Amino acid sequence: MGILGAGPVTQAIHLPSLARLRDILEVRHIMDVDPAVAESVAARVGARFSTSTEELLADPAVEIVAICSPHQFHAVQVIAACRAGKKAVLCEKPFAMNGEEAAAIAAVSAETGVPIVVGAMHTFDPGWLAAEAAWGSLPEQVHTVRSSIVLPPNPRFEDFATEIVGRGPAAPSAAGKASGPDSAAVKAMLTGGVMGLAIHDLPLVRRFAPDFRDVEVLYAQTVLPFGYVISLRAGAVTIELRAAMNGIWEPSWTFEAIGDDASLSIDFTPSYVHAGSATARIRTAASTTVLGPFGHNGYEGEWRKLAEIANGTGTAPRPETLIHDLEFALAIADAAAACVDAGNAAYEEASA
Ligand SMILES: NC(=O)c1ccc[n+]([C@@H]2O[C@H](COP(=O)([O-])OP(=O)(O)OC[C@H]3O[C@@H](n4cnc5c(N)ncnc54)[C@H](O)[C@@H]3O)[C@@H](O)[C@H]2O)c1
């Protein structure tokens, strides 16, 4: 396989995961626009390096392409990898930045037949998959879904995992700006939070709230230094999305789906910590079923799935599912921003 983009996620998450999967996947080529990063990261795994997408795609040793570049390059690189006739493509989240890009990807995937996987790792976590196999008719009765993410900032875990090369300067802190009257900063943090963080769990939310186009955001606010609290309804389901990235010592990443007679709660392991799978609990009045933890997490799960798809033993997700997941995320991000505008307008009217 070949990797486009060798930044922190490649270095701290994917290469350590792939190191455990050498019997099924071998990294042959690493590309990054920063030549020093490309060369140094490629050397860690004994792969070739280059600085252009075309060169990696032209490499016959590359059968599978993983796209780990910044968001804005995902769509164009996924399309180029499909056109290059590769066996399978993995694209880091978010899949694309708007509905048009996602539709263009789906059209190229359909035309070329190249299967695409999006790196929404929790959908490949064995704890989630075991819950899905066991929950029966739960989705029909769920009225409330909660996703809660409490994590330290990424660099803390990245530095625990490896020695990062080429990390850019830290983005200017939004603290102090993303509150009060600067609604542009508030909206930017909400959009970044939904498309960068909540997006991990939105495919899970959608299993219980399939009415993804009928989205109404009831409340949206930021949490400093980075985070969000968003309450919304999708169809008849009430959804709470919360995230806080700060200096806390104990990460916690939980997902809950609550129905009239049964509920599901899942504890996920933090992204950069290779600590096995999530643990899921399905509760009814009569019993609690505990599923997991299993030996590997969703990252390893997504790579295993990709290898199966490439060698013809696994089925790729339907492109419509990936597009609908993205449309759901974009609808929530837009509605959360609109909610901030509506709140500001109401405040100004009241103070006039
Ligand atoms: N699944 C997860 O848990 C997870 C975690 C963190 C980041 N991500 C995603 O992974 C992607 C990469 O994030 P990151 O944390 O590595 O940081 P990043 O986006 O800052 O770094 C990416 C690397 O890509 C390189 N790059 C820039 N333009 C490029 C291009 N056109 N082609 C190839 N490489 C290019 C940069 O030089 C850098 O080394 C993002 O889309 C992000 O959302 C996913």
Side-chain angles (χ1 to χ4, degrees):
M1 56 174 291
I3 301 180
L4 296 170
V9 75
T10 294
Q11 297 175 42
I13 297 182
H14 293 321
L15 293 183
S17 301
L18 288 161
R20 293 193 296 272
L21 300 171
R22 300 268 330 236
D23 52 332
I24 52 171
L25 288 166
E26 195 176 316
V27 183
R28 292 285 183 84
H29 197 138
I30 298 254
M31 174 269 174
D32 197 286
V33 290
D34 181 331
V37 171
E39 181 171 12
S40 147
V41 177
R44 291 183 192 181
V45 288
R48 286 189 58 198
F49 75 93
S50 63
T51 53
S52 91
T53 303
E54 294 69 29
E55 201 174 324
L56 181 138
L57 295 179
D59 184 344
V62 174
E63 296 178 322
I64 298 174
V65 180
I67 290 149
C68 304
S69 55
H71 304 4
Q72 64 271 31
F73 304 109
H74 290 181
V76 72
Q77 290 178 335
V78 170
I79 289 171
C82 288
R83 293 229 177 273
K86 297 299 177 183
K87 285 188 175 172
V89 175
L90 178 127
C91 180
E92 259 305 346
K93 50 62 113 176
F95 183 34
M97 293 304 282
N98 55 55
E100 293 78 47
E101 282 183 355
I105 293 175
V108 173
S109 172
E111 180 196 321
T112 59
V114 175
I116 299 171
V117 170
V118 175
M121 69 282 187
H122 287 167
T123 60
F124 301 98
D125 189 297
W128 164 259
L129 294 172
E132 192 177 34
W135 69 43
S137 60
L138 177 67
E140 289 155 34
Q141 55 156 295
V142 163
H143 50 74
T144 302
V145 175
R146 296 195 191 112
S147 156
S148 171
I149 305 169
V150 182
L151 292 175
N154 282 354
R156 181 173 160 155
F157 274 157
E158 290 162 6
D159 291 339
F160 285 163
T162 189
E163 290 178 31
I164 299 290
V165 292
R167 182 189 284 136
S173 168
K177 282 192 286 174
S179 63
D182 188 350
S183 61
V186 172
K187 288 195 286 186
M189 192 188 282
L190 286 172
T191 305
V194 172
M195 298 308 289
L197 202 50
I199 200 159
H200 285 294
D201 282 359
L202 293 179
L204 280 52
V205 173
R206 220 165 67 70
R207 290 303 309 272
F208 301 96
D211 205 352
F212 66 95
R213 289 197 175 105
D214 179 17
V215 169
E216 183 192 6
V217 168
L218 310 169
Y219 178 83
Q221 219 8 296
T222 52
V223 172
L224 296 178
F226 185 85
Y228 52 80
V229 178
I230 302 173
S231 298
L232 66 140
R233 263 197 293 265
V237 181
T238 304
I239 299 162
E240 287 174 29
L241 306 174
R242 289 167 178 264
M245 276 189 140
N246 53 36
I248 46 85
W249 67 274
E250 188 174 32
S252 163
W253 191 321
T254 59
F255 178 89
E256 292 168 276
I258 302 162
D260 295 329
D261 303 313
S263 69
L264 164 71
S265 69
I266 307 188
D267 275 307
F268 285 102
T269 46
S271 310
Y272 293 82
V273 181
H274 300 260
S277 82
T279 303
R281 289 179 179 76
I282 299 174
R283 290 195 180 85
T284 64
S287 67
T288 298
T289 307
V290 181
L291 301 153
F294 302 97
H296 68 261
N297 64 11
Y299 296 107
E300 202 173 312
E302 78 192 21
W303 293 117
R304 287 174 183 271
K305 178 77 173 175
L306 196 68
E308 286 168 14
I309 292 168
N311 70 26
T313 58
T315 320
R318 286 154 35 116
E320 309 87 88
T321 306
L322 306 180
I323 292 185
H324 294 168
D325 286 344
L326 183 76
E327 283 181 20
F328 186 44
L330 291 166
I332 294 171
D334 287 351
C339 190
V340 171
D341 284 337
N344 285 350
Y347 176 78
E348 276 163 26
E349 198 180 306
S351 20

